[in-house]
Amino acid sequence: SRPDILEKRIDFYPTDRYGEFRLRPGKPFPFGATLVPGGVNFSVFSSHATSCTLVLFEKGAPQPMAEIPFPDSFRIGNVWCMVVFDLDCERIEYGYRMDGPHDPAAGHRFDKTRILLDPYAKAIGGRDTWGKEVDFDDIFQYRGRLVFEDFDWEDDRPLEIPMEDLIIYEMHVRSFTQHPSSGVKHPGTFAAVRDKTSHLTELGVNCVELMPVYEFDECENDRRNPATGERLYNYWGYSTVGFLAPKSGYAATGQFGMQVDEFKTLVKQLHINGIEVILDVVFNHTAEGNEMGPTISFRGIDNKTYYMLTPEGYYFNYSGCGNTLNCNNPVVRNMVLDCLRYWAAEYHID
């Protein structure tokens, strides 16, 4: 072929249109929102939904800019997948509406009035500041965002220190630098931990084990200190909202949507100084709780697939936290594996 002719793949081109949006059938894998030439591939699994709608927001906007139903022809088995072309990927947030039976006794809790977080969202907006009171007028509390896998890792590699040689410092990202004595510019953040690298090396530490850094809701309860009236938080974070998204409230740049790069910069800096990074993760339950809990993501997308349910449709509470993920199901089990692979591959977690 002539070198001056640019050969283009046929799947670069749209096949359908919905209003002003140009579309084509998507690819079922990987799940989540993935940048592809000219657009974004959106893919979400639901074995019981009868229809799915992609909901697009401009960042921070109170109402959607568009809602695009997935054509039935774009469904492959139990996966709804669609490429949307020409999106301004740095300025949008996205979620889904799922329609289907609302029959809790049968395990189904579909409600198309709710906008749902993508279980595979790689960044989450909407709750960017630690401890900020919840805006209950916001119709979409946790907003999926697109990420660009363009971080310059240079020659960073896993350190592979023998396990028996590790000196592990278990760390809560916020607590580690929250006190004024830490002397950092942005207390309680990934950036602040990076600023204290020399302190860790002086201690002789060669590994940090971070308590949960996935997105969680510190304001998930309304309890107060009975003596002082002070608001009490879910401080430790063992109640996951999004398994693939670093917590924006832990990032000095979280309000600018840069939590991904900030956390990667921390890992890179620690590795340069000979310090491994281990993540403390929770896969046995989610922040959606029991029958009285909020519908954020999994419950509204495919409740019967993601959770272990009693014959009456209630949640088995083997976790002691309201619900238990149904890892007997291969889709849920694969989500756990996808998550582990993602953090190891994209964040260089040791």
Side-chain angles (χ1 to χ4, degrees), residues 132-181:
K132 185 177 180 180
E133 290 293 334
V134 179
D135 177 7
F136 290 105
D137 291 328
D138 188 345
I139 61 173
F140 192 28
Q141 296 280 341
Y142 300 97
R143 301 169 174 232
R145 289 182 176 174
L146 302 170
V147 299
F148 300 86
E149 308 292 4
D150 58 355
F151 184 78
D152 185 3
W153 283 102
E154 297 179 276
D155 59 352
D156 182 77
R157 303 286 297 170
L159 299 183
E160 298 185 352
I161 301 172
M163 186 73 74
E164 63 270 21
D165 295 334
L166 293 180
I167 301 171
I168 302 173
Y169 187 118
E170 185 178 15
M171 177 189 297
H172 185 279
V173 169
R174 182 169 173 82
S175 285
F176 184 61
T177 59
Q178 189 60 27
H179 194 272
S181 63

Side-chain angles (χ1 to χ4, degrees), residues 92-107:
I92 66 164
E93 297 169 323
Y94 75 98
Y96 297 108
R97 293 190 196 272
M98 290 286 184
D99 200 3
H102 185 80
D103 184 357

Side-chain angles (χ1 to χ4, degrees), residues 67-100:
E67 301 201 19
I68 308 172
F70 284 74
D72 287 340
S73 61
F74 286 16
R75 179 177 180 174
I76 300 176
N78 293 323
V79 181
W80 309 83
C81 46
M82 171 169 65
V83 174
V84 182
F85 291 86
D86 305 322
L87 294 175
D88 187 345
C89 297
E90 295 190 31
R91 297 184 59 189
I92 66 164
E93 297 169 323
Y94 75 98
Y96 297 108
R97 293 190 196 272
M98 290 286 184
D99 200 3

Side-chain angles (χ1 to χ4, degrees), residues 153-293:
W153 283 102
E154 297 179 276
D155 59 352
D156 182 77
R157 303 286 297 170
L159 299 183
E160 298 185 352
I161 301 172
M163 186 73 74
E164 63 270 21
D165 295 334
L166 293 180
I167 301 171
I168 302 173
Y169 187 118
E170 185 178 15
M171 177 189 297
H172 185 279
V173 169
R174 182 169 173 82
S175 285
F176 184 61
T177 59
Q178 189 60 27
H179 194 272
S181 63
S182 66
V184 294
K185 185 176 181 180
H186 301 288
T189 65
F190 301 130
V193 176
R194 188 183 74 234
D195 290 343
K196 302 296 286 187
T197 305
S198 60
H199 173 67
L200 293 168
T201 57
E202 288 167 10
L203 291 175
V205 170
N206 63 7
C207 179
V208 293
E209 177 187 346
L210 302 180
M211 295 172 72
V213 297
Y214 297 178
E215 190 64 55
F216 66 90
D217 181 8
E218 67 274 15
C219 299
E220 69 179 4
N221 66 68
D222 58 0
R223 298 189 183 99
R224 295 191 176 272
N225 184 322
T228 66
E230 177 189 12
R231 170 69 183 267
L232 299 178
Y233 296 110
N234 165 21
Y235 194 72
W236 305 115
Y238 292 92
S239 189
T240 306
V241 168
F243 287 104
L244 279 79
K247 182 165 178 58
S248 56
Y250 276 176
T253 58
Q255 296 179 61
F256 309 106
M258 296 296 292
Q259 60 267 29
V260 169
D261 280 11
E262 185 173 326
F263 186 53
K264 289 180 177 180
T265 301
L266 168 60
V267 175
K268 182 177 174 181
Q269 175 72 13
L270 290 172
H271 281 175
I272 288 171
N273 287 271
I275 300 174
E276 287 193 346
V277 181
I278 295 174
L279 296 188
D280 189 349
V281 299
V282 184
F283 289 116
N284 66 350
H285 72 282
T286 77
E288 291 186 307
N290 62 13
E291 298 78 23
M292 305 301 292

